[in-house]
Amino acid sequence: MTNYPSKGRLLNVILGPHISEKSARGAEMNSQFCFKVAPSATKDEIKQAVESLFEVNVNKVRTLNVKGKSKRFGRFFGRRKDWKKAYVSLQAGQDIDFSALS
């Protein structure tokens, strides 16, 4: 028996798209999109959230934890927060249009 996350939880899983040269190349060539997600999100939650928000069929989800950079602010040293990134591969013929979301 699988526990399905609530609709509210699914809305909080995806924090936004992560736009970079690498993610744009993956979107063009492999129908693969990159998202910034909640650090506690699982692959199943990410898959369900993308399918419900964008009405597409997800083929595969790969996740990775990005370590925050050490930065210097004048004479003080600080550190950015760690965050989680998810690469979502869609089934053939599927696409997400981020420009239509605004």
Side-chain angles (χ1 to χ4, degrees):
M1 184 169 156
T2 306
N3 291 335
Y4 294 105
S6 67
K7 188 72 169 175
R9 168 69 180 155
L10 290 180
L11 292 175
N12 292 326
V13 167
I14 296 180
L15 303 178
H18 182 70
I19 308 298
S20 65
E21 288 182 21
K22 182 180 178 181
S23 65
R25 189 177 29 216
E28 289 175 7
M29 300 175 82
N30 303 328
S31 187
Q32 181 180 25
F33 297 90
C34 187
F35 294 98
K36 187 173 184 178
V37 296
S40 62
T42 63
K43 290 183 180 185
D44 288 333
E45 288 177 337
I46 295 167
K47 179 179 179 178
Q48 291 175 9
V50 170
E51 286 179 344
S52 66
L53 288 175
F54 300 108
E55 298 172 357
V56 294
N57 295 324
V58 173
N59 192 24
K60 187 177 184 180
V61 176
R62 295 180 3 220
T63 60
L64 61 112
N65 291 312
V66 180
K67 301 296 180 191
K69 291 182 179 180
S70 296
K71 293 300 231 176
R72 184 173 171 177
F73 304 99
R75 62 181 182 157
F76 301 105
F77 289 92
R79 183 170 158 81
R80 290 186 181 168
K81 292 183 179 180
D82 298 342
W83 56 284
K84 192 171 191 175
K85 187 187 327 187
Y87 288 101
V88 177
S89 298
L90 302 180
Q91 291 182 356
Q94 302 281 314
D95 192 29
I96 297 175
D97 187 15
F98 292 117
S99 62
L101 295 177
S102 52

